[in-house]
Amino acid sequence: MRTSFGIIVASVLVSASCLCAQPRTTWYGAQPAQTQDNKKFPFRVHGFLLGNFAARTGDAHPAGEEGGRFLWADERLRLEISGDTANGNLSFMFKGDLFHDAVANKLDGVVREAYLDYSPAWLDLRLGRQVVTWGVGDLLFINDVFPKDWSAFFSGRPLEYLKVGVDAVKLHVATPAMNAELVVIPFFEPDNPPRPERFFFFDPFAGVRNRIFREPATTTGNTEFALRLYRRVFKSDVSLYAYRGYWRQPSFRPDQLPLPTELRGFYPRLAVYGASAQRNVGAALLSLEAGYYDSQDDRNGADPAVPNSQFRFLVGYQQQLASEFTLGAQYYAEILKDYDAYKATLPAAFPLQDRLRHLLTLRLTKFLKYQTWKLSWFSFYSPSDQDALLIPELWHAITDRFSLTVGANILEGRHPTTFLGQFDRNDNVYVVLRFDF
């Protein structure tokens, strides 16, 4: 890994934070566009510089050029450009990153979001690449069926990088009786799971290098649809959800067992039906969410290559315990359907999953010094899997524009095959330096 580029960027961040006390300006040197109401189509330009480094705490690391001490190390420029017409009916947003991946030693870029909004009085239409977030869970997702970047999550990147944008059309309609959101996704976007080049995890076919992936073709019949209906009911925010599309993590079908020579990766069809509710109860906020995952390519649970259908639900509780100190807790469970068929068809030497997998989460957040310091703790613990993930974090706003985050991902597990336990050897500490402009 080359470190010189990182040192230069860190130096720039520190220097710039000291120099830039003046108000933010646009790229052409004028004041922000929201103050220029006389322009017909004003632009706003924002962004940030980011230095993000995550180092392993253990000596073991995967073989290969990317399996060194650092899980993640990049220097990044974010550019956000937005604008709208004088009447506000038409607007656009662009968010793009240019970054240097110091672990792979390459320069690259990505369009995070790029969409056009059309908003007359009774509807909002969004067209283009966008991040969609549904549900009431805190880092637990039931009806949020949109793609995630789990590699980013386990390597200490800022939380916004957990969500991945989709190229979609989103229609929002507001009526006195109910609000509705319809998301149409013609181009399939999978999750980004941790890769073996940088992470240790359980792979029952680790010795099979010949792998062929096939994503759903872009056809009318493969288009994904997600619908959300919501309104206030008895002082609660109530939503109903429906989704038709695909599991976002691949399944693998071996050419033969017990010694396969080739794996064919594919994404089975999935439908999800669910609901959520959230309301204040005294001084607390109570959240409920449930969903049924209908695994349409294996409705009787007899195909070991395809996930079984399952029920998922969560209960969340959040309360401010003292000034600037908040507690949040959740209970989450997955119940596997057709469990007897699953056990009967599970290949030999594969780990047996429990019918009920459940876990608890705890979030503690404390702000100090006029919210220029934040201490936070987030933890997952699964009594059924007997594994855990602990995320302590400290954030400090050094200036209005420059911030520092230091944290850790600490993974524990009794078994090397459970969801969190398989990442046990990937403990890391991370540092994030961010300068906003």
Side-chain angles (χ1 to χ4, degrees):
M1 184 190 69
R2 296 181 180 177
T3 57
S4 57
F5 190 78
I7 294 172
I8 293 171
V9 170
S11 301
V12 170
L13 293 175
V14 174
S15 302
S17 68
C18 299
L19 294 173
C20 295
Q22 66 271 29
R24 298 180 183 182
T25 58
T26 60
W27 62 275
Y28 48 84
Q31 294 299 312
Q34 57 266 32
T35 64
Q36 302 177 2
D37 295 335
N38 57 330
K39 288 185 177 294
K40 290 184 177 180
F41 209 96
F43 295 91
R44 294 176 289 276
V45 179
H46 300 296
F48 56 78
L49 293 170
L50 194 75
N52 187 183
F53 310 94
R56 302 177 186 279
T57 58
D59 293 330
H61 51 81
E65 295 182 354
E66 297 186 24
R69 171 64 68 182
F70 284 83
L71 263 174
W72 190 263
D74 80 357
E75 301 87 24
R76 185 169 296 257
L77 168 65
R78 160 68 60 84
L79 194 60
E80 299 180 4
I81 306 172
S82 61
D84 48 41
T85 55
N87 59 16
N89 284 352
L90 191 63
S91 62
F92 78 93
M93 167 63 78
F94 171 85
K95 296 181 181 180
D97 286 7
L98 179 65
F99 61 91
H100 172 242
D101 181 343
V103 175
N105 191 25
K106 67 177 183 181
L107 282 171
D108 209 340
V110 62
V111 176
R112 294 279 301 167
E113 295 186 81
Y115 56 78
L116 186 68
D117 278 340
Y118 176 63
S119 304
W122 58 279
L123 67 83
D124 296 303
L125 179 65
R126 176 166 294 180
L127 173 64
R129 190 161 187 81
Q130 54 194 286
V131 173
V132 184
T133 300
W134 285 354
V136 297
D138 183 4
L139 295 181
L140 294 174
F141 307 100
I142 296 179
N143 293 295
D144 187 332
V145 292
F146 307 104
K148 319 287 188 306
D149 187 340
W150 296 108
S151 178
F153 179 70
F154 286 113
S155 56
R157 299 184 64 192
L159 202 55
E160 73 169 283
Y161 289 99
L162 171 60
K163 296 302 297 285
V164 176
V166 290
D167 298 313
V169 178
K170 184 171 75 173
L171 175 65
H172 174 260
V173 178
T175 70
M178 186 174 293
N179 297 314
E181 277 188 357
L182 174 66
V183 181
V184 181
I185 308 173
F187 308 102
F188 177 74
E189 185 77 38
D191 281 355
N192 183 26
R195 294 185 292 113
E197 290 84 358
R198 299 193 186 186
F199 286 87
F200 293 107
F201 55 85
F202 174 71
D203 182 353
F205 302 114
V208 183
R209 301 299 180 191
N210 187 14
R211 303 186 178 206
I212 302 171
F213 286 90
R214 188 182 66 185
E215 294 185 0
T218 303
T219 64
T220 302
N222 289 341
T223 299
E224 299 170 72
F225 294 91
L227 176 66
R228 177 189 176 213
L229 304 175
Y230 62 100
R231 64 161 297 165
R232 291 278 292 176
V233 178
F234 298 116
K235 299 181 180 179
S236 301
D237 294 319
V238 177
S239 297
L240 300 174
Y241 308 89
Y243 166 75
R244 192 205 73 170
Y246 299 87
W247 294 90
R248 300 225 176 254
Q249 299 203 16
S251 293
F252 292 96
R253 196 179 300 283
D255 59 344
Q256 59 185 14
L257 288 174
L259 298 174
T261 60
E262 180 183 276
L263 298 176
R264 293 185 177 273
F266 62 103
Y267 297 86
R269 292 183 301 152
L270 173 69
V272 180
Y273 311 98
S276 70
Q278 195 168 53
R279 66 171 298 168
N280 292 315
V281 179
L285 180 66
L286 181 66
S287 302
L288 302 171
E289 186 169 355
Y292 175 64
Y293 278 53
D294 178 11
S295 191
Q296 296 187 320
D297 286 340
D298 185 28
R299 279 182 163 153
N300 59 10
D303 187 345
V306 177
N308 280 28
S309 299
Q310 55 189 253
F311 296 95
R312 299 183 180 187
F313 68 90
L314 70 81
V315 180
Y317 180 88
Q318 180 180 334
Q319 183 173 355
Q320 183 171 335
L321 299 180
S323 176
E324 308 283 12
F325 180 47
T326 304
L327 173 147
Q330 298 175 109
Y331 174 78
Y332 168 88
E334 297 175 1
I335 303 172
L336 210 60
K337 193 170 174 285
D338 301 310
Y339 191 68
D340 290 339
Y342 160 74
K343 286 198 298 183
T345 57
L346 188 68
F350 272 57
L352 179 66
Q353 180 181 343
D354 292 334
R355 183 197 299 269
L356 169 64
R357 173 178 176 264
H358 58 143
L359 58 82
L360 303 163
T361 74
L362 174 66
R363 179 184 290 280
L364 299 172
T365 305
K366 174 65 177 176
F367 285 97
L368 300 165
K369 299 285 187 182
Y370 306 102
Q371 297 192 344
T372 58
W373 290 83
K374 183 177 77 171
L375 302 175
S376 67
W377 170 276
F378 195 92
S379 58
F380 299 87
Y381 169 66
S382 172
S384 55
D385 287 352
Q386 296 183 308
D387 57 12
L389 169 59
L390 316 177
I391 310 175
E393 188 175 275
L394 180 149
W395 170 86
H396 176 45
I398 299 171
T399 71
D400 289 344
R401 298 170 181 269
F402 185 50
S403 65
L404 166 69
T405 304
V406 179
N409 288 299
I410 304 168
L411 293 131
E412 296 291 339
R414 177 166 294 184
H415 308 290
T417 57
T418 57
F419 180 73
L420 296 173
Q422 64 181 317
F423 296 110
D424 192 6
R425 291 189 292 166
N426 298 285
D427 292 355
N428 61 85
V429 294
Y430 58 86
V431 176
V432 180
L433 296 165
R434 172 168 168 152
F435 174 73
D436 290 88
F437 60 87

